């Protein structure tokens, strides 16, 4: 589904991704771990198409598309979803209105019929249960005045409505208490399916107790230095990243 | 993928010109302004002696006045002696024959705004055959209104048919010597609207441009007078969302509102005049004086404006809250894109006791636009327990525009309660990227974010106007962000 080869990216002349390789198949959940500043979030942003990053080399293939040639909205319409580490507030625009516009632009791009208000509301009622989101948040402006936990759950809710092919979760667990973490994880687990893949970026092994990954990668200095199964995450938890950073440097 | 900068550049290069070159022989007075000009206009309109005298007095005042320089706008000096102050209505031969002769860019805008073909023709000044629907519609409505005693007609008609009312109220809210442009208007005003709502009557429909579409060619010096007698209500809609055809660069209108005891006047404007080309050339200068007086107790005047057009906007719809417990409101969205400059706001003068005013101003600057909010809240000694709430928010799109806020507050009675909130925000790359990532393209994202920003004002507009205003904002800001 997703094939990244020798990807190099920089911001303001500073290289952050230095030849990264990653392959994700449909139905898989990949966890990406690594110390601060290793390039985890950059990877997420580059995949979603953020313009601030310069692509210096390599390729990203999504299905049959050359992802790097596409605009952020085209990528979203293809089914790439990024759950933001810091969800953005849009005052005055209701969450429902925003999501309906998003869903319909995605449906339109796929040649599907746009949903009318009634059908959309029905869908929302169904999906809002998945993340145990208070329905009143639907009427409030997008993320405006939401608590940290509400923002993260709102991201998962957007994901549930948009039903992406590839979902990238950028430190969705950061700042969540254990109950919120469980809710978010349940939301993700309920969306797992054979034709959908997840890339879960996280700092801590904790989230992976709830979202069990098929593959765990460790990223250091913009490269994947180690790949393993979920046991690797546990190993990292006890040993830290230090031994891998040295290995990466060697 | 285009970067924001590229798209902004692309946009600023996009020409938005009025494509119809006019080479029209009109019945024109030679350019220039003196007493003879005023006499000529007054005679052409067959006006009574008192009105001619009134105009001449205004002209003499105007000669003594200087053009104001305090607004935060810059423009080439206007040569007032080079302007034509009278042009007879055009004959059909001089007009475009069909919409095919109209600039495709303008037609595209009409289509985007969803303006019916027929109205497009009227707006573009196309010569249409004798009687068209809207005129007969307008006549029907006017008859219906007349049954209720409501007078709704052109200013010229009012001068002839209701001279006492005109004479009683003309210039009572905006005196001739109020300011340079008001004096000029008083001397040479062309035409406009007159509304009188009798005691206790609630006007059953919005009095809108649509109904006075036959009075479109009111010219550059428009004069409007609306009187709401005791206990009456009227909602008046001015302007049009479509870019209007107009060769006159200088517009100096005067609007006067009078609300008697327990009366309410709601005045909504959507202004979308030609803003000029990318260099800022050729756009309309819109220097308007709008003021209402809440004469009676518990009267209310509410101004709502959406200003997206004109090269220069200089406009401060104001309320004099004279009656005790009277209420003044001002809700405004002003957009400056390309090289547009807007200096707009309001004045709330509290005279009566327990008078209350609300100001909500939303300024949006894009391209190289400059947007200034200028507002004055004055609480006189007599205004015991007066209250004001002001909120001024500015939004910047791109990095070459500007937003400025000048709130003046003058409180002479210590019992007043004043609240002022102000904010400036930039449409963030973050917000746009977030929308993009959810599949929403940049144009839609900008209009969504901007509409969210203006929500409080749009809520004040009559329903169908609000929908049009949202579309208008979309079109006005098209391409302003990449």
């Amino acid at each position: 589904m997703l094939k990244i080869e020798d990807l190099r990216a920089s911001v303001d002349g500073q290289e952050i991704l230095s030849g990264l390789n990653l392959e994700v198949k449909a139905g898989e959940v990949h966890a990406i771990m690594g110390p601060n500043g290793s390039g985890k979030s950059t990877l997420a942003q580059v995949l979603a198409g953020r313009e601030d990053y310069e692509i210096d080399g390599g390729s990203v293939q999504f299905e049959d598309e050359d992802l790097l040639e596409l605009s952020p909205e085209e990528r979203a319409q293809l089914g790439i979803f990024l759950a933001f580490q810091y969800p953005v507030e849009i005052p005055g625009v209701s969450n429902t209105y925003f999501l309906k516009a998003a869903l319909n632009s995605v449906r339109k791009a796929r040649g599907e019929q746009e949903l009318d208000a009634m059908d959309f509301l029905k869908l929302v009622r169904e999906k809002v249960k998945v993340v145990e989101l208070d329905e009143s948040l639907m009427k409030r402006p997008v993320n405006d005045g939401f608590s940290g936990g509400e923002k993260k759950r709102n991201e998962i809710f957007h994901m549930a409505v948009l039903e992406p092919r590839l979902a990238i979760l950028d430190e969705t667990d950061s700042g969540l208490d254990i109950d919120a973490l469980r809710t978010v994880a349940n939301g993700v687990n309920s969306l797992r399916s054979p034709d959908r893949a997840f890339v879960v970026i996280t700092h801590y092994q904790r989230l992976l107790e709830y979202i069990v990954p098929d593959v765990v990668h460790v990223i250091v200095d913009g490269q994947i230095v180690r790949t393993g199964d979920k046991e690797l995450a546990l190993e990292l938890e006890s040993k830290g990243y230090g031994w891998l950073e040295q290995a990466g440097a060697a | 993928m285009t970067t924001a900068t590229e798209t902004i550049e692309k946009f600023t290069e996009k020409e938005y010109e009025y494509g119809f070159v006019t080479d029209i022989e009109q019945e024109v007075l030679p350019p220039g302004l003196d007493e003879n000009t005023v006499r000529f206009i007054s005679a052409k309109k067959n006006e009574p002696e008192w009105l001619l005298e009134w105009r001449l007095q205004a002209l003499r005042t105007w000669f003594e006045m200087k053009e104001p320089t305090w607004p935060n706008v810059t423009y080439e000096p206007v040569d007032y002696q080079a302007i034509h102050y009278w042009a007879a209505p055009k004959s059909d031969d001089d007009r475009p024959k069909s919409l095919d002769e109209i600039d495709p860019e303008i037609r595209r805008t009409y289509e985007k705004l969803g303006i019916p073909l027929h109205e497009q023709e009227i707006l573009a000044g196309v010569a249409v055959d004798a009687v068209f629907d809207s005129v007969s519609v307008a006549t029907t409505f006017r008859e219906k209104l007349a049954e209720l005693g409501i007078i709704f007609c052109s200013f010229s008609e009012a001068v002839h048919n209701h001279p006492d009312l005109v004479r009683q109220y003309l210039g009572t809210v905006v005196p001739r010597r109020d300011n340079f442009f008001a004096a000029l208007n008083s001397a040479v005003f062309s035409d406009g609207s007159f509304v009188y709502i009798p005691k206790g009557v609630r006007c059953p429909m919005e009095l809108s441009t649509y109904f006075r579409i036959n009075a479109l060619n009111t010219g550059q010096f428009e004069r409007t007078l609306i009187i709401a007698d005791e206990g009456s209500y009227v909602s008046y809609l001015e302007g049009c969302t479509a870019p209007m055809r107009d060769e006159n660069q200088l517009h100096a209108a005067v609007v006067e509102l009078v609300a008697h005891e327990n009366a309410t006047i709601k005045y909504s404007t959507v202004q979308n005049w030609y803003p000029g080309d990318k260099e800022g050339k050729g756009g309309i200068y819109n220097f308007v004086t709008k003021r209402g007086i809440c004469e009676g107790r518990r009267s209310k005047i509410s101004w709502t404006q959406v200003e997206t057009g004109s090269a220069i906007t200089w406009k401060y719809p104001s309320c004099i809250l004279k009656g005790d417990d009277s209420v003044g409101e001002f809700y405004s969205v002003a957009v400056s894109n390309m090289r547009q400059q807007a200096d707009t706001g309001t004045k709330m003068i509290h005279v009566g006791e327990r008078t209350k005013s609300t100001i909500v101003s939303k300024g949006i600057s894009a391209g190289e636009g400059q947007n200034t909010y200028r507002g004055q809240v004055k609480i006189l000694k007599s205004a015991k327990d007066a209250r004001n709430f002001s909120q001024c928010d500015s939004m910047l799109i791109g990095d070459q525009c500007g937003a400025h806020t000048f709130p003046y507050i003058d409180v002479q009675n210590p019992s007043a309660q004043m609240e002022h909130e102000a904010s400036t925000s930039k449409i963030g790359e973050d917000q746009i990227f977030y929308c993009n990532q959810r599949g929403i393209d940049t144009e839609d994202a900008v209009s969504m974010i901007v509409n969210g920003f203006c929500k409080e004002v749009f809520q004040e507009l009559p329903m169908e106007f609000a929908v049009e205003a949202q579309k208008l904002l979309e079109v006005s800001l098209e391409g302003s962000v990449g």
Side-chain angles (χ1 to χ4, degrees):
Chain A
M1 178 182 268
L2 178 73
K3 194 169 187 194
I4 303 174
E5 281 182 297
D6 197 29
L7 182 63
R8 291 168 187 278
S10 60
V11 63
D12 298 331
Q14 186 170 355
E15 190 171 77
I16 298 180
L17 299 180
S18 327
L20 187 137
N21 295 288
L22 177 67
E23 189 169 357
V24 179
K25 294 194 174 74
E28 291 179 344
V29 174
H30 287 237
I32 296 188
M33 304 182 71
N36 284 329
S38 57
K40 301 188 299 288
S41 282
T42 298
L43 176 62
Q45 300 273 324
V46 166
L47 289 177
R50 182 104 202 189
E51 286 176 8
D52 304 3
Y53 298 91
E54 197 70 43
I55 307 297
D56 303 316
S59 67
V60 180
Q61 201 78 21
F62 178 71
E63 316 265 69
D64 298 327
E65 302 275 346
D66 178 356
L67 207 59
L68 299 177
E69 287 298 311
L70 302 177
S71 68
E73 60 270 28
E74 286 168 331
R75 299 181 197 200
Q77 287 156 1
L78 278 180
I80 290 181
F81 180 90
L82 171 63
F84 282 57
Q85 185 179 358
Y86 304 107
V88 179
E89 300 175 1
I90 309 179
V93 178
S94 88
N95 211 8
T96 315
Y97 181 82
F98 175 81
L99 203 49
K100 181 162 172 271
L103 180 65
N104 279 335
S105 71
V106 169
R107 290 181 70 102
K108 209 166 130 190
R110 291 179 190 156
E112 295 166 6
Q113 208 180 348
E114 295 184 35
L115 287 189
D116 63 22
M118 292 301 282
D119 289 341
F120 178 73
L121 225 60
K122 223 170 98 188
L123 179 75
V124 161
R125 292 248 158 82
E126 201 177 291
K127 300 287 184 182
V128 87
K129 288 184 201 133
V130 176
V131 286
E132 297 169 34
L133 197 68
D134 189 346
E135 256 191 69
S136 72
L137 292 185
M138 294 309 303
K139 291 181 193 128
R140 293 202 351 223
V142 182
N143 293 321
D144 193 16
F146 287 27
S147 72
E150 284 170 341
K151 283 182 182 172
K152 294 296 176 78
R153 268 189 283 178
N154 196 32
E155 292 292 284
I156 304 303
F157 170 64
H158 284 188
M159 179 170 82
V161 170
L162 295 173
E163 300 185 323
R165 304 285 322 279
L166 172 68
I168 304 155
L169 276 61
D170 189 6
E171 300 202 18
T172 301
D173 53 334
S174 67
L176 289 187
D177 63 29
I178 198 75
D179 290 335
L181 188 68
R182 209 175 276 141
T183 316
V184 163
N186 286 343
V188 172
N189 287 332
S190 70
L191 290 169
R192 283 178 84 150
S193 86
D195 54 6
R196 181 172 295 140
F198 290 87
V199 172
V200 179
I201 293 169
T202 182
H203 227 51
Y204 304 104
Q205 190 268 338
R206 196 177 64 156
L207 178 66
L208 305 180
E209 287 174 17
Y210 300 99
I211 304 173
V212 181
D214 300 300
V215 190
V216 175
H217 308 274
V218 180
I219 185 168
V220 174
D221 292 336
Q223 284 180 320
I224 288 178
V225 294
R226 174 133 336 186
T227 296
D229 58 16
K230 61 182 178 186
E231 299 304 322
L232 178 57
L234 290 171
E235 199 177 345
L236 287 168
E237 185 85 345
S238 58
K239 288 192 186 168
Y241 291 110
W243 59 287
L244 285 170
E245 281 178 59
Q246 278 158 13
Chain B
M1 266 190 290
T2 52
T3 64
T5 341
E6 275 170 24
T7 318
I8 289 170
E9 277 166 15
K10 203 171 77 201
F11 175 77
T12 43
E13 280 161 21
K14 191 175 84 177
E15 302 263 345
Y16 184 16
E17 269 177 24
Y18 266 40
F20 29 77
V21 180
T22 45
D23 180 14
I24 297 169
E25 287 175 40
Q26 300 168 328
E27 190 198 340
V28 286
L29 198 63
L33 179 53
D34 57 22
E35 295 211 351
N36 286 330
T37 321
V38 172
R39 286 179 197 283
F40 179 88
I41 294 169
S42 193
K44 274 280 176 193
K45 298 170 81 67
N46 203 14
E47 286 177 351
E49 186 61 27
W50 68 264
L51 190 51
L52 172 62
E53 271 312 310
W54 195 84
R55 284 177 181 272
L56 288 171
Q57 191 57 47
L59 183 72
R60 287 173 206 130
T61 307
W62 181 73
F63 278 131
E64 293 162 13
M65 297 176 97
K66 282 209 168 64
E67 195 169 337
T69 51
W70 50 262
N72 189 23
V73 296
T74 49
Y75 53 91
E76 291 285 308
V78 178
D79 181 354
Y80 292 92
Q81 294 302 337
I83 292 173
H84 290 278
Y85 289 89
W86 171 265
K90 290 176 194 64
S91 79
D92 284 356
D93 294 346
D94 301 325
R95 304 188 187 194
K97 298 292 175 294
S98 76
L99 279 174
D100 296 341
E101 292 177 33
I102 305 302
D103 186 339
E105 184 68 17
I106 286 174
R107 294 198 54 190
R108 205 174 59 88
T109 310
Y110 286 158
E111 273 152 32
K112 284 197 168 174
L113 291 167
I115 309 226
L117 202 67
H118 174 70
E119 279 180 53
Q120 290 186 26
E121 290 179 336
I122 298 167
L123 290 164
V126 172
V128 258
D129 287 337
V131 184
F132 43 80
D133 296 344
S134 56
V135 172
S136 42
V137 168
T139 316
T140 320
F141 278 119
R142 255 165 75 164
E143 281 166 10
K144 223 170 160 183
L145 293 171
E147 282 171 27
L148 294 165
I150 295 171
I151 304 166
F152 178 37
C153 61
S154 76
F155 201 90
S156 305
E157 284 174 80
V159 167
H160 291 111
N161 301 334
H162 310 280
D164 295 344
L165 280 173
V166 174
R167 203 167 176 179
Q168 187 185 342
Y169 289 104
L170 181 66
T172 57
V173 190
V174 180
R176 280 167 292 187
R177 56 168 57 249
D178 187 80
N179 67 70
F180 183 82
F181 298 110
L184 177 64
N185 175 287
S186 300
V188 300
F189 67 85
S190 34
D191 210 334
S193 301
F194 177 84
V195 177
Y196 173 79
I197 315 287
K199 278 184 194 174
V201 171
R202 189 182 168 89
C203 185
M205 63 190 79
E206 317 268 359
L207 297 181
S208 75
T209 337
Y210 183 79
F211 300 122
R212 47 176 279 252
I213 212 158
N214 54 338
L216 259 186
N217 285 322
T218 43
Q220 58 194 128
F221 300 104
E222 196 168 339
R223 185 101 200 178
T224 299
L225 176 56
I226 299 176
I227 302 140
D229 218 327
E230 289 173 23
S232 68
Y233 170 90
V234 62
S235 168
Y236 185 87
L237 315 186
E238 171 204 46
C240 189
T241 50
M244 281 232 254
R245 171 182 200 219
D246 205 315
E247 302 88 15
N248 300 314
Q249 190 172 37
L250 174 68
H251 279 250
V254 170
V255 175
E256 296 179 284
L257 310 182
V258 181
H260 289 288
E261 192 168 317
N262 281 319
T264 297
I265 302 176
K266 192 171 164 59
Y267 193 106
S268 314
T269 307
V270 171
Q271 183 267 113
N272 185 25
W273 274 326
Y274 181 48
D277 64 11
K278 62 179 175 177
E279 306 295 332
K281 284 192 186 121
I284 302 282
Y285 295 174
N286 191 24
F287 302 131
V288 182
T289 309
K290 288 184 166 175
R291 191 174 306 151
I293 182 161
C294 284
E295 185 71 52
R297 300 169 50 135
R298 291 180 300 279
S299 54
K300 177 177 172 182
I301 289 178
S302 179
W303 299 99
T304 307
Q305 61 172 19
V306 176
E307 302 276 322
T308 63
S310 299
I312 315 259
T313 300
W314 182 98
K315 187 182 165 189
Y316 315 90
S318 306
C319 297
I320 300 167
L321 303 171
K322 191 174 159 201
D324 289 347
D325 300 291
S326 61
V327 175
E329 293 176 341
F330 174 74
Y331 296 94
S332 168
V333 168
V335 179
S336 325
N337 199 354
M338 299 193 288
R339 293 275 178 99
Q340 282 177 276
Q341 307 172 63
D343 191 314
T344 183
T346 185
K347 278 194 282 188
M348 293 290 174
I349 314 291
H350 292 251
V351 184
E353 296 186 1
R354 296 172 305 280
T355 45
K356 215 171 103 183
S357 61
T358 303
I359 298 170
V360 176
S361 161
K362 305 277 181 178
I364 300 160
S365 318
E368 292 173 65
Q370 294 292 329
N371 208 314
T372 300
Y373 168 80
R374 186 184 304 276
Q376 185 185 36
V377 179
K378 194 168 187 171
I379 312 281
L380 298 184
K381 254 201 180 90
S382 54
K384 199 169 152 274
D385 296 325
R387 282 167 67 183
N388 164 263
F389 171 77
S390 301
Q391 183 187 336
C392 308
D393 298 323
S394 309
M395 178 175 267
L396 302 169
I397 304 175
D399 54 11
Q400 292 179 64
C401 55
H404 318 269
T405 304
F406 300 100
Y408 305 92
I409 296 172
D410 176 3
V411 180
Q412 297 168 17
N413 187 313
S415 65
Q417 284 183 47
M418 313 287 289
E419 280 177 78
H420 186 93
E421 290 175 12
S423 77
T424 302
S425 56
K426 199 163 184 254
I427 280 203
E429 302 269 313
D430 284 349
Q431 284 177 324
I432 290 171
F433 179 62
Y434 189 71
C435 295
N436 288 161
Q437 208 301 306
R438 295 297 185 258
I440 299 166
D441 71 33
T442 301
E443 301 265 298
D444 288 347
V446 170
S447 85
M448 191 185 277
I449 295 164
V450 169
N451 275 314
F453 176 71
C454 300
K455 203 174 177 183
E456 290 149 286
V457 175
F458 287 160
Q459 278 170 351
E460 294 298 320
L461 287 171
M463 253 281 267
E464 71 275 20
F465 231 36
V467 175
E468 280 184 47
Q470 279 189 24
K471 272 194 267 176
L472 174 62
L473 226 58
E474 247 164 65
V475 176
S476 305
L477 290 169
E478 198 167 70
S480 57
V481 178

